[in-house]
Coordinates of all heavy atoms in Angstrom, one line a residue:
Q1 N 13.7 -70.3 22.0 CA 14.7 -71.4 22.4 C 15.3 -70.9 23.8 O 15.6 -71.7 24.6 CB 15.9 -71.4 21.5 CG 15.5 -72.2 20.2 CD 15.3 -73.7 20.5 OE1 15.8 -74.2 21.4 NE2 14.5 -74.3 19.6
L2 N 15.4 -69.6 24.0 CA 15.9 -69.1 25.3 C 15.2 -69.5 26.5 O 15.6 -69.8 27.6 CB 16.2 -67.7 25.3 CG 17.3 -67.2 24.3 CD1 17.4 -65.6 24.2 CD2 18.6 -67.7 24.6
G3 N 13.8 -69.4 26.4 CA 13.0 -69.7 27.5 C 12.5 -71.1 27.5 O 11.7 -71.5 28.4
K4 N 13.0 -72.0 26.8 CA 12.6 -73.4 26.7 C 12.9 -74.2 27.9 O 14.1 -74.0 28.4 CB 13.3 -74.1 25.5 CG 12.7 -75.4 25.2 CD 13.4 -75.9 24.0 CE 12.9 -77.3 23.6 NZ 13.4 -77.8 22.3
N5 N 12.1 -74.9 28.5 CA 12.3 -75.8 29.7 C 13.1 -77.0 29.3 O 12.5 -77.9 28.7 CB 11.0 -76.1 30.4 CG 11.3 -76.8 31.7 OD1 12.4 -77.1 32.0 ND2 10.2 -77.2 32.4
R6 N 14.3 -77.2 29.6 CA 15.2 -78.3 29.2 C 15.1 -79.4 30.2 O 15.8 -80.3 29.9 CB 16.6 -77.8 28.9 CG 16.6 -76.7 27.8 CD 17.9 -76.4 27.2 NE 18.0 -75.3 26.3 CZ 17.5 -75.3 25.1 NH1 16.9 -76.3 24.6 NH2 17.6 -74.1 24.4
N7 N 14.5 -79.2 31.3 CA 14.5 -80.2 32.3 C 13.2 -81.1 32.3 O 13.1 -82.0 33.0 CB 14.6 -79.6 33.7 CG 15.9 -78.9 33.9 OD1 16.9 -79.4 33.4 ND2 15.9 -77.8 34.7
D8 N 12.5 -80.8 31.3 CA 11.2 -81.6 31.1 C 11.5 -83.0 30.5 O 11.9 -83.1 29.4 CB 10.3 -80.8 30.2 CG 8.9 -81.5 30.1 OD1 8.6 -82.5 30.9 OD2 8.0 -81.0 29.3
A9 N 11.4 -84.1 31.3 CA 11.7 -85.4 30.8 C 10.8 -85.8 29.7 O 11.2 -86.7 28.9 CB 11.6 -86.4 32.0
Q10 N 9.6 -85.2 29.6 CA 8.7 -85.6 28.5 C 9.3 -85.3 27.1 O 9.0 -85.9 26.1 CB 7.4 -84.9 28.7 CG 6.2 -85.6 28.2 CD 4.9 -84.9 28.7 OE1 4.9 -83.7 29.0 NE2 3.8 -85.6 28.8
N11 N 10.0 -84.1 27.0 CA 10.6 -83.6 25.7 C 11.9 -84.2 25.3 O 12.4 -84.0 24.3 CB 10.7 -82.2 25.8 CG 9.2 -81.6 25.8 OD1 8.3 -82.1 25.3 ND2 9.1 -80.3 26.4
K12 N 12.5 -85.0 26.3 CA 13.8 -85.6 26.0 C 13.7 -86.7 25.0 O 12.9 -87.6 25.2 CB 14.5 -86.0 27.3 CG 15.0 -84.9 28.1 CD 15.9 -85.4 29.2 CE 16.4 -84.3 30.0 NZ 17.3 -84.7 31.1
P13 N 14.6 -86.7 24.0 CA 14.6 -87.9 23.1 C 15.1 -89.1 23.8 O 15.8 -89.1 24.8 CB 15.6 -87.4 22.0 CG 16.5 -86.4 22.6 CD 15.7 -85.8 23.7
E14 N 14.6 -90.2 23.3 CA 15.0 -91.6 23.8 C 16.6 -91.9 23.7 O 17.1 -92.6 24.5 CB 14.2 -92.6 23.1 CG 12.8 -92.6 23.5 CD 11.9 -93.6 22.8 OE1 12.5 -94.7 22.5 OE2 10.8 -93.4 22.6
F15 N 17.1 -91.3 22.5 CA 18.6 -91.5 22.3 C 19.1 -90.3 21.5 O 18.3 -89.4 21.1 CB 18.7 -92.8 21.4 CG 17.9 -92.8 20.2 CD1 18.3 -92.3 19.0 CD2 16.6 -93.5 20.3 CE1 17.5 -92.3 17.9 CE2 15.9 -93.5 19.2 CZ 16.2 -93.0 17.9
D16 N 20.4 -90.2 21.3 CA 21.1 -89.2 20.7 C 20.5 -89.0 19.3 O 20.5 -90.0 18.4 CB 22.6 -89.5 20.6 CG 23.4 -88.4 19.9 OD1 22.8 -87.4 19.5 OD2 24.6 -88.5 20.1
P17 N 20.0 -87.8 18.9 CA 19.4 -87.6 17.6 C 20.3 -87.9 16.4 O 20.0 -88.2 15.3 CB 19.0 -86.2 17.6 CG 18.9 -85.8 19.0 CD 19.9 -86.6 19.7
L18 N 21.7 -87.8 16.7 CA 22.7 -88.1 15.6 C 22.7 -89.6 15.3 O 23.2 -89.9 14.2 CB 24.0 -87.7 16.1 CG 24.3 -86.1 16.2 CD1 25.7 -85.9 16.8 CD2 24.1 -85.4 14.9
L19 N 22.1 -90.4 16.1 CA 22.0 -91.8 15.9 C 20.7 -92.2 15.2 O 20.6 -93.5 15.0 CB 22.3 -92.6 17.1 CG 23.6 -92.4 17.9 CD1 23.6 -93.1 19.2 CD2 24.8 -92.7 17.0
K20 N 19.9 -91.3 14.9 CA 18.7 -91.7 14.2 C 18.8 -92.2 12.8 O 19.5 -91.5 12.0 CB 17.7 -90.5 14.3 CG 16.3 -90.8 13.9 CD 15.4 -89.5 13.9 CE 15.0 -89.2 15.2 NZ 14.0 -88.1 15.3
T21 N 18.1 -93.3 12.5 CA 18.1 -93.8 11.1 C 17.0 -93.0 10.4 O 16.1 -92.4 10.9 CB 17.8 -95.3 11.1 OG1 16.6 -95.5 11.7 CG2 18.9 -96.0 11.9
P22 N 17.0 -93.2 9.0 CA 15.9 -92.6 8.1 C 14.5 -93.0 8.6 O 13.5 -92.3 8.5 CB 16.3 -93.0 6.7 CG 17.7 -93.2 6.8 CD 18.0 -93.7 8.1
S23 N 14.4 -94.3 9.2 CA 13.1 -94.7 9.7 C 12.8 -94.3 11.1 O 11.6 -94.5 11.5 CB 13.1 -96.3 9.6 OG 14.0 -96.8 10.6
G24 N 13.7 -93.6 11.7 CA 13.3 -92.9 13.0 C 13.9 -93.8 14.2 O 13.6 -93.4 15.3
T25 N 14.4 -95.0 14.0 CA 14.8 -95.8 15.0 C 16.4 -95.5 15.4 O 17.0 -94.8 14.6 CB 14.8 -97.3 14.6 OG1 15.5 -97.5 13.5 CG2 13.3 -97.7 14.4
K26 N 16.8 -96.0 16.5 CA 18.2 -95.9 16.9 C 19.1 -96.8 16.1 O 18.8 -98.0 16.0 CB 18.4 -96.1 18.4 CG 19.8 -95.9 18.9 CD 19.9 -96.1 20.3 CE 21.4 -95.9 20.7 NZ 21.5 -96.2 22.2
S27 N 20.1 -96.2 15.5 CA 21.1 -97.0 14.7 C 21.9 -97.9 15.5 O 22.2 -97.6 16.7 CB 22.0 -96.1 13.9 OG 22.9 -96.8 13.2
E28 N 22.3 -99.1 15.1 CA 23.1 -100.0 15.8 C 24.5 -99.7 15.6 O 25.4 -100.3 16.2 CB 22.7 -101.5 15.5 CG 23.0 -101.7 13.9 CD 22.4 -103.1 13.6 OE1 21.6 -103.7 14.3 OE2 22.9 -103.6 12.5
Y29 N 24.9 -98.7 14.7 CA 26.3 -98.4 14.4 C 26.7 -97.2 15.3 O 26.2 -96.1 15.1 CB 26.4 -98.0 12.9 CG 26.1 -99.2 12.0 CD1 24.9 -99.4 11.5 CD2 27.2 -100.0 11.7 CE1 24.7 -100.6 10.7 CE2 27.0 -101.1 10.9 CZ 25.7 -101.4 10.4 OH 25.5 -102.5 9.6
I30 N 27.4 -97.5 16.3 CA 27.8 -96.5 17.3 C 29.2 -96.0 17.1 O 30.1 -96.8 16.7 CB 27.8 -97.1 18.7 CG1 26.4 -97.7 19.0 CG2 28.1 -96.1 19.8 CD1 25.2 -96.7 18.9
T31 N 29.5 -94.7 17.3 CA 30.9 -94.1 17.1 C 31.4 -93.7 18.5 O 30.7 -93.0 19.2 CB 30.9 -92.9 16.1 OG1 30.3 -93.4 14.9 CG2 32.2 -92.4 15.9
K32 N 32.6 -94.1 18.9 CA 33.3 -93.7 20.0 C 34.2 -92.6 19.8 O 35.0 -92.7 18.9 CB 34.0 -95.0 20.7 CG 34.7 -94.6 22.0 CD 35.4 -95.8 22.6 CE 36.1 -95.5 23.8 NZ 36.9 -96.5 24.4
N33 N 34.2 -91.6 20.5 CA 35.0 -90.4 20.4 C 36.3 -90.7 21.1 O 36.3 -90.9 22.3 CB 34.4 -89.2 21.0 CG 35.2 -87.9 20.9 OD1 36.4 -88.0 20.3 ND2 34.7 -86.9 21.4
V34 N 37.4 -90.8 20.3 CA 38.8 -91.0 20.9 C 39.7 -89.9 20.7 O 40.9 -90.0 20.7 CB 39.4 -92.4 20.3 CG1 38.6 -93.5 20.8 CG2 39.5 -92.3 18.8
S35 N 39.1 -88.7 20.6 CA 39.9 -87.4 20.4 C 40.7 -87.1 21.7 O 40.1 -87.3 22.8 CB 39.0 -86.2 20.1 OG 38.4 -86.4 18.9
P36 N 42.0 -86.8 21.6 CA 42.7 -86.5 22.8 C 42.3 -85.3 23.5 O 41.8 -84.3 22.9 CB 44.1 -86.3 22.2 CG 44.0 -85.8 20.8 CD 42.7 -86.5 20.4
K37 N 42.2 -85.3 24.8 CA 41.9 -84.2 25.7 C 43.1 -83.3 26.0 O 43.0 -82.2 26.5 CB 41.3 -84.6 27.0 CG 40.1 -85.5 26.8 CD 38.9 -84.8 26.2 CE 37.6 -85.7 26.2 NZ 37.0 -85.6 24.9
S38 N 44.3 -83.8 25.8 CA 45.6 -83.1 26.0 C 46.6 -83.6 25.0 O 46.3 -84.5 24.2 CB 46.1 -83.3 27.4 OG 46.3 -84.7 27.6
S39 N 47.8 -83.1 25.0 CA 48.8 -83.5 24.0 C 49.2 -85.0 24.2 O 49.3 -85.4 25.3 CB 50.0 -82.6 24.2 OG 49.7 -81.3 23.9
V40 N 49.3 -85.6 23.0 CA 49.6 -87.0 23.0 C 50.7 -87.3 21.9 O 50.9 -86.4 21.0 CB 48.4 -87.9 22.7 CG1 47.4 -87.9 23.8 CG2 47.8 -87.5 21.4
T41 N 51.4 -88.3 22.0 CA 52.4 -88.7 21.0 C 51.7 -89.7 20.1 O 51.1 -90.6 20.6 CB 53.6 -89.3 21.7 OG1 54.2 -88.4 22.6 CG2 54.7 -89.7 20.7
V42 N 52.0 -89.5 18.8 CA 51.4 -90.4 17.8 C 52.4 -91.2 17.1 O 53.2 -90.8 16.3 CB 50.6 -89.5 16.7 CG1 49.9 -90.3 15.7 CG2 49.7 -88.5 17.3
P43 N 52.5 -92.6 17.5 CA 53.5 -93.5 17.0 C 53.5 -93.6 15.5 O 54.5 -93.8 14.8 CB 53.3 -94.8 17.7 CG 52.3 -94.5 18.7 CD 51.6 -93.2 18.5
E44 N 52.2 -93.6 14.9 CA 52.1 -93.7 13.5 C 52.6 -92.6 12.7 O 52.9 -92.8 11.4 CB 50.6 -93.9 13.1 CG 49.9 -95.1 13.7 CD 49.3 -94.9 15.1 OE1 49.4 -93.8 15.6 OE2 48.8 -95.8 15.7
L45 N 52.9 -91.5 13.3 CA 53.5 -90.3 12.7 C 54.9 -89.9 13.1 O 55.2 -88.8 13.5 CB 52.6 -89.1 12.8 CG 51.2 -89.2 12.2 CD1 50.3 -88.0 12.5 CD2 51.3 -89.3 10.7
N46 N 55.7 -91.0 13.3 CA 57.0 -90.9 13.9 C 57.1 -90.1 15.2 O 57.9 -89.2 15.4 CB 57.9 -90.2 12.8 CG 58.1 -91.0 11.6 OD1 58.1 -92.3 11.7 ND2 58.3 -90.4 10.4
N47 N 56.2 -90.5 16.1 CA 56.1 -89.9 17.4 C 56.0 -88.4 17.4 O 56.4 -87.7 18.4 CB 57.3 -90.4 18.3 CG 57.3 -91.8 18.6 OD1 56.3 -92.4 18.7 ND2 58.5 -92.4 18.5
I48 N 55.3 -87.8 16.5 CA 55.0 -86.4 16.5 C 53.9 -86.2 17.6 O 53.1 -87.0 17.9 CB 54.5 -85.9 15.1 CG1 55.2 -84.7 14.7 CG2 53.0 -85.8 14.9 CD1 55.1 -84.3 13.3
T49 N 53.9 -84.9 18.1 CA 52.9 -84.6 19.2 C 51.7 -83.9 18.5 O 51.7 -83.2 17.5 CB 53.6 -83.5 20.1 OG1 54.7 -84.1 20.7 CG2 52.6 -83.2 21.2
A50 N 50.5 -84.4 19.0 CA 49.3 -83.8 18.5 C 48.4 -83.6 19.8 O 48.6 -84.2 20.8 CB 48.5 -84.8 17.6
G51 N 47.4 -82.7 19.6 CA 46.5 -82.4 20.7 C 45.1 -81.9 20.2 O 44.9 -81.9 19.1
P52 N 44.3 -81.5 21.2 CA 43.0 -81.2 20.8 C 42.9 -79.9 19.9 O 43.9 -79.1 19.9 CB 42.3 -80.9 22.1 CG 43.3 -80.7 23.1 CD 44.5 -81.4 22.6
W53 N 41.8 -79.8 19.1 CA 41.7 -78.6 18.3 C 40.2 -78.2 18.3 O 39.3 -79.0 18.7 CB 42.3 -78.7 16.9 CG 41.5 -79.6 16.0 CD1 41.3 -80.9 16.1 CD2 41.0 -79.2 14.7 NE1 40.6 -81.3 15.0 CE2 40.4 -80.3 14.1 CE3 40.9 -77.9 14.1 CZ2 39.8 -80.2 12.9 CZ3 40.3 -77.9 12.8 CH2 39.7 -79.0 12.3
L54 N 40.0 -77.0 17.9 CA 38.6 -76.4 18.0 C 37.5 -77.1 17.3 O 36.4 -77.3 17.8 CB 38.7 -74.9 17.4 CG 37.5 -74.0 17.6 CD1 37.2 -73.7 19.1 CD2 37.7 -72.7 16.8
M55 N 37.9 -77.7 16.1 CA 36.8 -78.3 15.3 C 36.7 -79.8 15.6 O 35.9 -80.5 14.9 CB 37.1 -78.1 13.8 CG 36.9 -76.7 13.4 SD 35.2 -76.0 13.6 CE 34.4 -77.1 12.4
G56 N 37.5 -80.3 16.4 CA 37.4 -81.8 16.8 C 36.2 -82.3 17.1 O 35.6 -83.3 16.5
P57 N 35.4 -81.6 18.0 CA 34.1 -82.2 18.4 C 33.0 -82.1 17.3 O 32.2 -83.0 17.1 CB 33.6 -81.3 19.5 CG 34.9 -80.7 20.1 CD 35.9 -80.7 19.0
V58 N 33.2 -81.1 16.5 CA 32.3 -81.0 15.3 C 32.5 -82.1 14.3 O 31.6 -82.7 13.8 CB 32.5 -79.6 14.6 CG1 31.6 -79.5 13.3 CG2 32.2 -78.5 15.5
M59 N 33.7 -82.4 14.0 CA 34.1 -83.6 13.1 C 33.7 -84.8 13.7 O 33.1 -85.7 12.9 CB 35.6 -83.5 12.8 CG 36.1 -82.2 12.2 SD 35.2 -81.8 10.6 CE 35.6 -83.2 9.7
V60 N 33.8 -85.0 15.0 CA 33.4 -86.4 15.6 C 31.8 -86.5 15.4 O 31.3 -87.6 15.1 CB 33.8 -86.4 17.1 CG1 33.0 -87.6 17.7 CG2 35.3 -86.5 17.2
N61 N 31.1 -85.4 15.6 CA 29.7 -85.5 15.3 C 29.2 -85.8 13.9 O 28.3 -86.6 13.6 CB 28.9 -84.2 15.9 CG 28.8 -84.2 17.4 OD1 28.8 -85.2 18.0 ND2 28.7 -83.1 17.9
C62 N 30.0 -85.2 13.0 CA 29.8 -85.5 11.6 C 29.9 -87.0 11.3 O 29.2 -87.6 10.5 CB 30.7 -84.6 10.7 SG 30.3 -82.9 10.7
V63 N 31.1 -87.6 11.8 CA 31.4 -88.9 11.6 C 30.4 -89.8 12.3 O 30.0 -90.9 11.8 CB 32.8 -89.2 12.0 CG1 33.1 -90.7 11.9 CG2 33.8 -88.5 11.1
R64 N 30.0 -89.4 13.6 CA 28.9 -90.2 14.2 C 27.7 -90.3 13.4 O 27.1 -91.3 13.3 CB 28.7 -89.5 15.6 CG 27.6 -90.3 16.4 CD 27.2 -89.6 17.7 NE 28.4 -89.5 18.6 CZ 28.8 -88.6 19.3 NH1 28.1 -87.4 19.4 NH2 29.8 -88.7 20.1
R65 N 27.3 -89.2 12.9 CA 26.0 -89.2 12.0 C 26.2 -90.0 10.8 O 25.3 -90.8 10.4 CB 25.6 -87.8 11.7 CG 24.4 -87.6 10.9 CD 23.2 -88.0 11.7 NE 21.9 -87.8 10.9 CZ 21.0 -88.7 11.0 NH1 21.0 -89.7 11.8 NH2 19.9 -88.5 10.2
S66 N 27.4 -89.8 10.1 CA 27.6 -90.6 8.9 C 27.6 -92.2 9.2 O 27.1 -92.9 8.5 CB 28.9 -90.3 8.3 OG 28.8 -88.9 7.9
N67 N 28.2 -92.5 10.3 CA 28.3 -94.0 10.7 C 26.9 -94.4 10.9 O 26.6 -95.6 10.5 CB 29.2 -94.2 11.9 CG 29.4 -95.6 12.2 OD1 29.5 -96.5 11.3 ND2 29.5 -95.9 13.4
A68 N 26.1 -93.7 11.6 CA 24.7 -94.1 11.9 C 23.9 -94.3 10.7 O 23.1 -95.2 10.6 CB 24.0 -93.1 12.8
L69 N 24.1 -93.5 9.6 CA 23.4 -93.6 8.4 C 24.0 -94.7 7.4 O 23.2 -95.3 6.8 CB 23.3 -92.2 7.7 CG 22.5 -91.2 8.4 CD1 22.6 -89.8 7.7 CD2 21.0 -91.6 8.5
L70 N 25.2 -94.6 7.3 CA 25.9 -95.5 6.3 C 26.5 -96.8 6.8 O 26.8 -97.7 6.1 CB 27.0 -94.7 5.6 CG 26.6 -93.3 4.9 CD1 27.9 -92.6 4.4 CD2 25.6 -93.6 3.8
G71 N 26.6 -96.9 8.1 CA 27.1 -98.1 8.7 C 28.5 -98.5 8.3 O 28.8 -99.6 7.8
Y72 N 29.4 -97.7 8.7 CA 30.9 -98.0 8.5 C 31.3 -99.2 9.4 O 31.9 -100.1 8.8 CB 31.8 -96.8 9.0 CG 31.6 -95.5 8.3 CD1 31.6 -94.3 9.0 CD2 31.3 -95.4 6.9 CE1 31.5 -93.2 8.4 CE2 31.1 -94.3 6.3 CZ 31.2 -93.1 7.0 OH 31.0 -91.9 6.4
A73 N 31.0 -99.2 10.6 CA 31.2 -100.3 11.6 C 30.4 -100.3 12.8 O 30.1 -99.1 13.2 CB 32.7 -100.4 11.9
K74 N 30.0 -101.3 13.4 CA 29.1 -101.3 14.5 C 29.8 -100.7 15.8 O 29.1 -100.1 16.6 CB 28.5 -102.7 14.8 CG 27.6 -103.2 13.7 CD 26.8 -104.4 14.3 CE 25.8 -104.7 13.1 NZ 24.9 -105.6 13.5
E75 N 31.0 -100.9 15.9 CA 31.8 -100.3 17.0 C 33.0 -99.5 16.4 O 34.1 -99.9 16.3 CB 32.3 -101.3 17.9 CG 31.2 -102.1 18.7 CD 31.7 -103.1 19.6 OE1 32.9 -103.0 20.0 OE2 31.0 -104.0 20.0
F76 N 32.6 -98.3 15.9 CA 33.6 -97.4 15.2 C 34.2 -96.5 16.2 O 33.6 -95.9 17.0 CB 32.8 -96.7 14.1 CG 33.7 -96.0 13.1 CD1 34.4 -96.7 12.2 CD2 33.7 -94.7 13.1 CE1 35.3 -96.0 11.3 CE2 34.5 -93.9 12.2 CZ 35.3 -94.6 11.3
E77 N 35.5 -96.3 16.1 CA 36.2 -95.3 16.9 C 36.8 -94.3 16.0 O 37.4 -94.5 14.9 CB 37.4 -96.0 17.6 CG 36.9 -96.9 18.8 CD 38.2 -97.4 19.6 OE1 39.3 -97.1 19.3 OE2 37.8 -98.1 20.6
Y78 N 36.6 -92.9 16.4 CA 37.1 -91.8 15.6 C 37.6 -90.8 16.4 O 37.0 -90.5 17.5 CB 35.9 -91.3 14.7 CG 36.4 -90.0 13.9 CD1 37.0 -90.2 12.7 CD2 36.1 -88.8 14.4 CE1 37.5 -89.1 12.0 CE2 36.6 -87.7 13.6 CZ 37.2 -87.8 12.5 OH 37.7 -86.7 11.7
G79 N 38.7 -90.2 16.1 CA 39.3 -89.0 16.8 C 39.9 -88.1 16.0 O 40.3 -88.4 14.8
D80 N 39.9 -86.8 16.3 CA 40.5 -85.8 15.6 C 41.4 -85.0 16.4 O 41.1 -84.6 17.5 CB 39.4 -84.9 15.0 CG 39.7 -84.4 13.6 OD1 40.9 -84.3 13.3 OD2 38.7 -84.1 12.8
A81 N 42.6 -84.7 15.9 CA 43.6 -83.9 16.6 C 44.4 -83.0 15.7 O 44.4 -83.1 14.5 CB 44.6 -84.8 17.4
M82 N 45.1 -82.0 16.3 CA 45.8 -81.1 15.5 C 47.4 -81.4 15.8 O 47.8 -81.5 17.0 CB 45.5 -79.7 15.9 CG 46.4 -78.6 15.2 SD 45.9 -76.9 15.6 CE 46.3 -76.8 17.3
V83 N 48.1 -81.6 14.7 CA 49.6 -81.9 15.0 C 50.2 -80.5 15.5 O 49.9 -79.5 15.0 CB 50.2 -82.2 13.6 CG1 51.7 -82.3 13.7 CG2 49.6 -83.6 13.1
Q84 N 51.0 -80.7 16.4 CA 51.7 -79.5 17.1 C 53.1 -79.5 16.8 O 53.9 -80.6 16.8 CB 51.5 -79.7 18.6 CG 50.0 -79.6 19.0 CD 49.9 -79.9 20.5 OE1 50.8 -80.4 21.1 NE2 48.7 -79.6 21.0
S85 N 53.7 -78.4 16.5 CA 55.1 -78.3 16.2 C 55.8 -78.0 17.5 O 55.2 -77.4 18.5 CB 55.3 -77.0 15.3 OG 56.7 -76.8 15.1
T86 N 57.1 -78.4 17.6 CA 57.8 -78.2 18.9 C 58.7 -77.0 18.9 O 59.3 -76.7 19.8 CB 58.7 -79.5 19.1 OG1 59.6 -79.6 18.0 CG2 57.9 -80.7 19.3
S87 N 58.7 -76.3 17.7 CA 59.6 -75.0 17.7 C 58.9 -73.9 18.5 O 57.8 -73.8 18.8 CB 59.7 -74.6 16.2 OG 58.6 -73.9 15.8
L88 N 59.8 -73.0 19.1 CA 59.4 -71.9 19.8 C 58.4 -71.0 19.1 O 57.4 -70.5 19.5 CB 60.6 -71.1 20.4 CG 60.3 -70.0 21.3 CD1 59.6 -70.5 22.6 CD2 61.6 -69.3 21.7
T89 N 58.7 -70.7 17.7 CA 57.9 -69.8 17.0 C 56.6 -70.4 16.8 O 55.6 -69.8 16.8 CB 58.6 -69.7 15.6 OG1 59.9 -69.2 15.8 CG2 57.8 -68.7 14.7
A90 N 56.4 -71.8 16.6 CA 55.1 -72.4 16.3 C 54.4 -72.3 17.6 O 53.2 -72.2 17.6 CB 55.4 -73.8 15.9
G91 N 55.1 -72.6 18.8 CA 54.4 -72.4 20.1 C 53.8 -71.1 20.3 O 52.7 -70.9 20.8
F92 N 54.5 -70.0 20.0 CA 54.0 -68.6 20.1 C 52.8 -68.5 19.2 O 51.8 -67.9 19.5 CB 55.1 -67.7 19.8 CG 54.7 -66.2 19.9 CD1 54.3 -65.6 21.2 CD2 54.4 -65.5 18.8 CE1 54.0 -64.3 21.2 CE2 54.0 -64.2 18.9 CZ 53.7 -63.6 20.1
R93 N 52.9 -69.0 17.9 CA 51.9 -68.8 17.0 C 50.6 -69.5 17.4 O 49.4 -68.9 17.3 CB 52.3 -69.4 15.6 CG 51.4 -69.1 14.5 CD 51.8 -69.6 13.1 NE 53.3 -69.9 13.1 CZ 53.8 -71.0 12.7 NH1 53.0 -72.0 12.2 NH2 55.1 -71.2 12.7
N94 N 50.7 -70.7 18.0 CA 49.5 -71.4 18.5 C 48.9 -70.7 19.7 O 47.7 -70.6 19.7 CB 50.0 -72.8 18.9 CG 50.2 -73.7 17.8 OD1 49.8 -73.5 16.6 ND2 51.0 -74.8 18.0
L95 N 49.7 -70.2 20.6 CA 49.2 -69.4 21.8 C 48.5 -68.2 21.3 O 47.4 -67.9 21.8 CB 50.4 -69.1 22.7 CG 50.0 -68.4 24.0 CD1 49.1 -69.4 24.8 CD2 51.2 -68.1 24.8
S96 N 49.1 -67.4 20.3 CA 48.4 -66.2 19.9 C 47.1 -66.5 19.2 O 46.1 -65.8 19.3 CB 49.3 -65.4 19.0 OG 49.7 -66.2 17.8
T97 N 47.1 -67.6 18.5 CA 45.8 -68.0 17.8 C 44.7 -68.3 18.9 O 43.6 -67.9 18.7 CB 46.0 -69.3 16.9 OG1 47.0 -68.9 16.0 CG2 44.7 -69.7 16.3
K98 N 45.1 -69.0 19.9 CA 44.2 -69.3 21.1 C 43.6 -68.0 21.6 O 42.4 -67.8 21.9 CB 44.8 -70.2 22.0 CG 45.0 -71.6 21.6 CD 45.7 -72.4 22.6 CE 46.0 -73.8 22.1 NZ 46.7 -74.7 23.0
F99 N 44.5 -67.0 21.9 CA 44.1 -65.7 22.5 C 43.2 -65.0 21.5 O 42.2 -64.4 21.9 CB 45.3 -64.9 22.8 CG 45.9 -65.2 24.2 CD1 47.1 -65.7 24.2 CD2 45.1 -65.1 25.4 CE1 47.6 -66.1 25.5 CE2 45.6 -65.4 26.6 CZ 46.9 -65.9 26.7
L100 N 43.5 -65.0 20.2 CA 42.7 -64.4 19.2 C 41.2 -65.1 19.2 O 40.2 -64.3 19.2 CB 43.3 -64.5 17.8 CG 42.6 -63.8 16.7 CD1 42.6 -62.3 16.9 CD2 43.2 -64.2 15.3
I101 N 41.2 -66.4 19.2 CA 39.8 -67.0 19.1 C 39.1 -66.8 20.5 O 37.9 -66.4 20.4 CB 40.0 -68.5 18.9 CG1 40.5 -68.8 17.5 CG2 38.7 -69.3 19.1 CD1 40.9 -70.2 17.2
G102 N 39.8 -66.8 21.6 CA 39.1 -66.5 22.9 C 38.6 -65.1 22.9 O 37.6 -64.8 23.4
G103 N 39.5 -64.1 22.4 CA 39.0 -62.7 22.4 C 37.8 -62.6 21.5 O 36.9 -61.8 21.9
A104 N 37.8 -63.2 20.4 CA 36.7 -63.1 19.4 C 35.4 -63.6 20.1 O 34.3 -63.1 19.9 CB 36.9 -63.8 18.1
I105 N 35.5 -64.7 20.9 CA 34.4 -65.2 21.6 C 33.9 -64.3 22.7 O 32.7 -64.1 22.9 CB 34.7 -66.7 22.0 CG1 34.8 -67.6 20.9 CG2 33.6 -67.2 23.0 CD1 35.4 -69.0 21.2
A106 N 34.8 -63.8 23.5 CA 34.5 -63.0 24.6 C 34.0 -61.6 24.2 O 33.1 -61.1 24.8 CB 35.7 -62.8 25.5
L107 N 34.6 -61.0 23.2 CA 34.3 -59.7 22.8 C 33.9 -59.7 21.2 O 34.7 -59.4 20.4 CB 35.4 -58.7 22.9 CG 36.1 -58.7 24.4 CD1 37.4 -58.0 24.3 CD2 35.1 -58.1 25.3
P108 N 32.7 -60.2 20.9 CA 32.3 -60.4 19.5 C 32.3 -59.2 18.6 O 32.4 -59.2 17.5 CB 31.0 -61.1 19.6 CG 30.4 -60.8 20.9 CD 31.7 -60.5 21.8
S109 N 32.0 -57.9 19.2 CA 31.9 -56.8 18.3 C 32.9 -55.8 18.6 O 33.7 -55.5 19.3 CB 30.5 -56.2 18.4 OG 30.2 -55.9 19.8

């Protein structure tokens, strides 16, 4: 995998493999990612603040694949976010978690 030539147009799939049906064709059921890229206010949750989280892209891909196979809706929108607390303690906890995850990625052993 490390030496694989990824610029070869011959090996590129015609469409996103997550959209492949069991018969091998492209599904007509498309999922749009509406996950927030920064903090947003969520009116449905009494204007609580939410923002991006580590597993958001993974969950969007799971739902994209499920929609392609099971056909929830032809134009399906899905987003995933983490509810954020406004207290100082929670802010410190969130920041320390980000540093811990970043450190684990940067220095794995």
